[in-house]
Amino acid sequence: MKLMINQPSQFLALLSFCSIFFLVVSEDPYRFFDWNITYGDIYPLGVKQRGILINGQFPGPEIYSVTNDNLIINVHNSLPEPFLLSWNGVQQRRNSYQDGVYGTTCPIPPGKNFTYTLQVKDQIGSFFYFPSLAFHKAAGGFGSIKILSRPRIPVPFPDPADDYTFLIGDWYNIDNTKLSKVLDFGHRLPFPQAVLINGRAQGTAFTVEQGKTYRLRISNVGLQNTLNFRIQDHIMKLVEVEGTHTVQTSYSSIDVHVGQSYSVLITADQAPKDYYIVASTRFTDRTLTSTAAFHYSNSQQPLSGPIPGGPTTQIDWSIQQARSIRTNLTASGPRPNPQGSYHYGMINISRTITLQSSAAQVNGKQRYAVNSVSFIPADTPLKLADYFKIDGVFQVGSIPDSPSGKPMYLDTSVMGADFRAFVEIVFQNHENIVQSWHIDGYSFWVVGMDGGAWTPNSRNQYNLRDAVSRSTTQVYPKSWTAIYMALDNVGMWNVRSEFWSRQYLGQQFYLRVYSDAGSIRDEYPIPKNALLCGKAVGRETRPL
């Protein structure tokens, strides 16, 4: 049968119909969430304290999604102060406006709402969200994000019997406003009171059936301490790290540094009883421990006996484990092509950036810095100032590419970078603590780590074949960690310490990845519903 078109109007109508048809058919699915943020009573240590609830829940609701899904998250702020949520590890491709940190997004005022429009573009894996303003993270407001592979994309392990989330982290029984005042007055925080597993120090149980295999997604949502995770008499097989399928290596316990996420498989292959699930602090003078129950459905014996011990202060043990985590080059990622088809080790480095942390007193108050610059927020989100071309908010290049040797000083630090550059970043740690660093908007290859000071000769020991790709990396005491990163995501991106008191007191900056093309192929336009604050008040976003 021939389709006859006799009039121009008929042609235009057909063209319009076809456009709508293909748009509807090709558009990725939408998932809608409506969240109310409130303060409420929580009992993580068995006594009442004030926490941040999302729809009455602590921790908050889980975000379940599939690669390329569009997530529409309407957040109602019922707190008496401004609030923001950020999405740890979600890359916000071409869309740093949705990142949910103060450098990109105006806070949601009390009694108002804001709708985040995110797309988990070309991502899989285990992540989490958290409140990014003030010291809200110490009160809760966090939850898990699961991004599953599309059905047509093979996953390198059989479907598990179930998929459990473990949100672990250190915890204070002190109100978050009191903790922030301690920092505001120039003091350091005390040692935390406990470790939580899914919002409780003890009493949580996970039921399994004998002989079946389960996926456990483990995220350290705490404030400063590395945690070791283990399950009594069971072996864990690592399968995914922050969106990367890994070589499937078995561990009896695993170190999870602040801000990191792991997926492991575990088989219920022991005698039917209850076994301890343990999360305990690492590299601390005093070890805090939290437990839950790995409960066999046919168990006749509750938890009993001593809690199984784990590593405590051993640095070498942790370094060797970190080096053993590698990318599975034979596995597909969010797309059908193997993850290893991107040969990062064969690309010429266009720039080396060395980031050195420091701690010092500035104007009689405790501060933390990167390359001697301790970050102070501007009165306007940097991304909005950039978009509206508002002068006087920040200066590109206000943080150097390498340590300057200057005394610590305060500034709104922004580092400029060219779109599509391929950079090497070295995190240099001269302090006696384990650090944890995160870069929003990106996943990067952790190519090397070792003790001492990094030199160009350190490149001789880089893993240029199958280094793990992730968004958060640790740096061991008096050591360095090196990463490679392809700057393929235009925007204003937060580079920060995941130690939240350090981030709060200046150990962060923004990486401005810039393209002068002004094309939506490189970056989405400002959202129509973008909140405007500071010097951006009164400006216009886009017509509705």
Side-chain angles (χ1 to χ4, degrees):
M1 180 180 72
K2 287 188 176 181
L3 179 62
M4 302 298 294
I5 301 175
N6 299 317
Q7 300 293 332
S9 59
Q10 290 178 312
F11 174 78
L12 291 174
L14 178 65
L15 182 63
S16 176
F17 171 79
C18 290
S19 299
I20 293 171
F21 174 79
F22 286 115
L23 178 65
V24 170
V25 168
S26 63
E27 194 168 20
D28 294 300
Y30 281 76
R31 297 178 187 268
F32 295 88
F33 305 84
D34 196 62
W35 289 355
N36 187 33
I37 313 299
T38 61
Y39 280 124
D41 294 337
I42 58 174
Y43 299 83
L45 306 185
V47 294
K48 184 172 73 173
Q49 67 180 108
R50 189 182 72 160
I52 293 178
L53 310 178
I54 302 180
N55 291 352
Q57 298 180 42
F58 169 75
E62 174 183 284
I63 293 178
Y64 174 95
S65 61
V66 177
T67 300
N68 289 355
D69 279 356
N70 295 284
L71 309 180
I72 311 301
I73 307 171
N74 188 17
V75 177
H76 304 265
N77 179 18
S78 296
L79 303 184
E81 66 260 16
F83 184 80
L84 272 180
L85 284 173
S86 191
W87 322 92
N88 208 76
V90 177
Q91 292 178 16
Q92 314 288 359
R93 303 297 301 177
R94 301 184 291 166
N95 200 14
S96 62
Y97 295 104
Q98 304 287 349
D99 202 30
V101 290
Y102 183 66
T104 63
T105 313
C106 288
I108 307 170
K112 302 295 183 179
N113 74 298
F114 175 70
T115 301
Y116 291 89
T117 303
L118 320 177
Q119 186 181 30
V120 288
K121 179 68 174 172
D122 291 336
Q123 285 193 266
I124 60 167
S126 310
F127 309 97
F128 65 91
Y129 61 86
F130 69 96
S132 63
L133 288 185
F135 217 63
H136 287 147
K137 192 179 182 187
F142 47 75
S144 69
I145 302 173
K146 294 180 182 178
I147 309 176
L148 277 64
S149 295
R150 290 173 288 177
R152 71 174 76 106
I153 309 299
V155 175
F157 49 86
D159 289 340
D162 210 337
D163 190 327
Y164 288 126
T165 293
F166 290 80
L167 299 176
I168 60 177
D170 50 12
W171 186 259
Y172 289 87
N173 63 2
I174 304 169
D175 187 89
N176 64 293
T177 56
K178 294 180 180 178
L179 290 174
S180 63
K181 287 178 180 178
V182 170
L183 298 174
D184 292 339
F185 285 130
H187 305 297
R188 301 187 183 200
L189 293 184
F191 192 66
Q193 280 73 45
V195 169
L196 303 186
I197 299 176
N198 288 0
R200 300 178 67 179
Q202 57 185 0
T204 304
F206 299 83
T207 300
V208 298
E209 294 185 28
Q210 195 163 24
K212 292 187 176 182
T213 298
Y214 297 82
R215 182 173 184 169
L216 314 182
R217 299 176 189 256
I218 310 154
S219 295
N220 187 336
V221 298
L223 297 176
Q224 66 184 41
N225 285 292
T226 298
L227 299 179
N228 182 264
F229 183 89
R230 54 197 182 272
I231 298 182
Q232 182 182 18
D233 296 340
H234 288 75
I235 298 297
M236 298 177 290
K237 181 184 291 184
L238 183 66
V239 294
E240 177 255 329
V241 172
E242 293 159 29
T244 299
H245 290 307
T246 63
V247 172
Q248 295 182 12
T249 306
S250 295
Y251 303 99
S252 57
S253 71
I254 192 163
D255 278 352
V256 187
H257 303 273
V258 184
Q260 292 186 339
S261 297
Y262 291 85
S263 280
V264 300
L265 297 180
I266 188 165
T267 301
D269 56 3
Q270 300 298 306
K273 64 173 189 174
D274 287 8
Y275 295 86
Y276 282 108
I277 301 170
V278 186
S280 59
T281 55
R282 291 278 270 127
F283 320 119
T284 54
D285 293 335
R286 178 164 60 93
T287 301
L288 297 175
T289 300
S290 176
T291 62
F294 195 67
H295 169 71
Y296 280 60
S297 60
N298 56 346
S299 170
Q300 301 299 318
Q301 183 178 339
L303 292 174
S304 61
I307 297 171
T312 53
T313 60
Q314 303 92 327
I315 295 289
D316 288 346
W317 184 97
S318 190
I319 291 177
Q320 292 307 315
Q321 182 177 85
R323 288 172 174 166
S324 72
I325 300 172
R326 296 175 292 127
T327 296
N328 184 347
L329 297 182
T330 65
S332 294
R335 297 175 299 278
N337 59 299
Q339 296 187 80
S341 65
Y342 190 93
H343 299 293
Y344 68 91
M346 300 175 66
I347 302 173
N348 292 329
I349 299 297
S350 58
R351 180 179 176 186
T352 295
I353 300 168
T354 303
L355 303 177
Q356 182 174 297
S357 63
S358 58
Q361 296 274 317
V362 178
N363 300 325
K365 293 185 177 182
Q366 182 65 46
R367 298 291 300 186
Y368 300 92
V370 185
N371 291 356
S372 298
V373 189
S374 186
F375 182 86
I376 51 173
D379 60 0
T380 306
L382 309 182
K383 185 61 188 170
L384 296 186
D386 208 14
Y387 175 80
F388 290 117
K389 296 180 172 54
I390 302 172
D391 293 332
V393 175
F394 70 91
Q395 182 178 350
V396 177
S398 47
I399 178 172
D401 277 19
S402 57
S404 64
K406 295 180 180 179
M408 187 183 296
Y409 61 95
L410 308 179
D411 201 351
T412 303
S413 37
V414 177
M415 182 180 291
D418 294 331
F419 182 40
R420 295 200 176 99
F422 192 79
V423 301
E424 172 188 50
I425 300 177
V426 178
F427 295 98
Q428 182 68 61
N429 178 12
H430 292 306
E431 300 181 75
N432 287 317
I433 63 167
V434 177
Q435 299 178 347
S436 186
W437 289 90
H438 177 85
I439 302 179
D440 280 351
Y442 284 94
S443 184
F444 48 72
W445 292 274
V446 184
V447 294
M449 56 179 62
D450 204 354
W454 182 91
T455 69
N457 290 333
S458 302
R459 296 183 179 121
N460 295 331
Q461 59 179 283
Y462 281 4
N463 177 355
L464 298 182
R465 174 173 167 76
D466 61 354
V468 69
S469 178
R470 64 188 317 165
S471 58
T472 308
T473 188
Q474 70 273 32
V475 191
Y476 291 97
K478 297 189 179 300
S479 300
W480 57 266
T481 293
I483 67 173
Y484 280 179
M485 191 165 74
L487 299 182
D488 59 357
N489 197 13
V490 172
M492 187 78 70
W493 303 109
N494 191 222
V495 181
R496 63 175 177 265
S497 168
E498 287 282 13
F499 284 24
W500 216 241
S501 60
R502 286 179 166 243
Q503 178 271 352
Y504 184 87
L505 294 179
Q507 202 158 81
Q508 60 172 309
F509 67 94
Y510 282 83
L511 184 69
R512 180 183 183 256
V513 181
Y514 182 71
S515 168
D516 60 6
S519 170
I520 60 172
R521 292 177 301 175
D522 297 340
E523 184 175 27
Y524 291 140
I526 188 171
K528 289 180 283 190
N529 70 328
L531 299 174
L532 300 179
C533 56
K535 294 177 181 176
V537 170
R539 309 276 178 143
E540 293 185 359
T541 55
R542 290 185 288 147
L544 293 175

